[in-house]
Amino acid sequence: SQQGEEDPQALSIQEGENATMNCSYKTSINNLQWYRQNSGRGLVHLILIRSNEREKHSGRLRVTLDTSKKSSSLLITASRAADTASYFCATDRGSTLGRLYFGRGTQLTVWP
Amino acid sequence: DADVTQTPRNRITKTGKRIMLECSQTKGHDRMYWYRQDPGLGLQLIYYSFDVKDINKGEISDGYSVSRQAQAKFSLSLESAIPNQTALYFCATSDHQGRATEAFFGQGTRLTVV
């Protein structure tokens, strides 16, 4: 069963706007990771946030983690058409470090 | 050259046939994984291996088997392929040594069982 659930399932915005995707999960975690997948291609790691961290930045990406609510959000600022992809959150649980549980993903479309 | 290489990239096979998907990596990672992705769904873990002598079942291992021939090679077999095994298959690697790190994915194998 999937551990993470992303919301929304699909998001459509204009270039220059910000995109926010959310992820909820059910059990305690070691860390939470966000991945990007271009259509039919392999997943690419974007950012990892540990359970004792609340916010992390990488370029135009900002990730927050609220362990009390078991949720995370990924913010992409100043979106570009090239950001069009599916975005997945993956949780790394306490029992087996490294085994990831993926959500169903958010399909982001950025229009020029 | 890709760090995680999957072969073949595409394969069409008939129901009942045995098929093997191969994965090799040049990252020197100890951990390797096989995932399956169905349209509109996330990735589901089939098998994983934390070193050459370690094989573990994932969420959906029925109908699949794996072999870790070397640290760099991890193959997935479908002993008798069935149509509902039609999916996109990904191999991934990660390196831990006591800390959490990202996973690196291959480009995927698109398998169609007819």
Side-chain angles (χ1 to χ4, degrees):
Chain A
S1 60
Q2 271 124 350
Q3 164 75 325
E5 290 294 337
E6 289 90 342
D7 171 62
Q9 290 186 1
L11 180 61
S12 184
I13 60 174
Q14 295 289 131
E15 266 192 332
E17 294 179 341
N18 295 341
T20 299
M21 289 159 268
N22 302 297
C23 171
S24 60
Y25 57 92
K26 298 177 182 178
T27 65
S28 62
I29 60 172
N30 289 316
N31 64 75
L32 185 144
Q33 303 177 32
W34 285 91
Y35 288 81
R36 165 191 169 130
Q37 182 183 35
N38 288 79
S39 181
R41 306 290 296 275
L43 277 72
V44 176
H45 181 266
L46 295 175
I47 197 165
L48 179 155
I49 186 165
R50 291 181 168 74
S51 60
N52 62 352
E53 297 175 314
R54 291 296 168 260
E55 187 171 313
K56 208 163 183 180
H57 297 256
S58 177
R60 294 185 295 114
L61 306 180
R62 172 178 170 256
V63 169
T64 61
L65 178 65
D66 187 335
T67 53
S68 66
K69 295 182 179 178
K70 292 186 170 56
S71 67
S72 174
S73 67
L74 171 67
L75 169 67
I76 304 174
T77 59
S79 295
R80 306 166 182 167
D83 294 328
T84 294
S86 292
Y87 292 82
F88 295 90
C89 70
T91 52
D92 187 333
R93 294 183 185 176
S95 57
T96 308
L97 192 66
R99 176 176 173 169
L100 297 177
Y101 294 82
F102 285 84
R104 296 172 185 265
T106 293
Q107 172 60 52
L108 173 65
T109 302
V110 182
W111 299 100
Chain B
D1 290 338
D3 294 319
V4 183
T5 303
Q6 292 183 231
T7 55
R9 293 293 309 278
N10 292 281
R11 180 74 181 266
I12 300 174
T13 192
K14 294 183 177 180
T15 298
K17 292 291 187 181
R18 183 179 189 274
I19 183 170
M20 179 182 289
L21 310 182
E22 299 188 2
C23 177
S24 62
Q25 52 121 342
T26 58
K27 300 193 74 65
H29 289 170
D30 52 350
R31 300 185 173 194
M32 298 187 73
Y33 312 81
W34 275 103
Y35 290 93
R36 166 181 172 155
Q37 184 178 34
D38 294 280
L41 299 180
L43 276 67
Q44 294 178 280
L45 184 62
I46 306 172
Y47 271 96
Y48 61 104
S49 169
F50 282 177
D51 65 44
V52 175
K53 297 180 180 178
D54 176 74
I55 300 290
N56 302 280
K57 292 183 178 180
E59 304 160 83
I60 54 165
S61 59
D62 287 350
Y64 302 94
S65 63
V66 291
S67 174
R68 184 81 183 265
Q69 300 96 322
Q71 188 195 34
K73 295 184 181 296
F74 192 36
S75 60
L76 175 72
S77 294
L78 286 67
E79 297 301 325
S80 179
I82 56 177
N84 74 3
Q85 291 178 313
T86 293
L88 190 53
Y89 290 84
F90 289 103
C91 174
T93 73
S94 67
D95 182 27
H96 290 273
Q97 299 179 353
R99 59 187 172 89
T101 61
E102 66 191 270
F104 292 83
F105 283 80
Q107 287 300 301
T109 295
R110 188 169 297 279
L111 177 65
T112 303
V113 183
V114 298

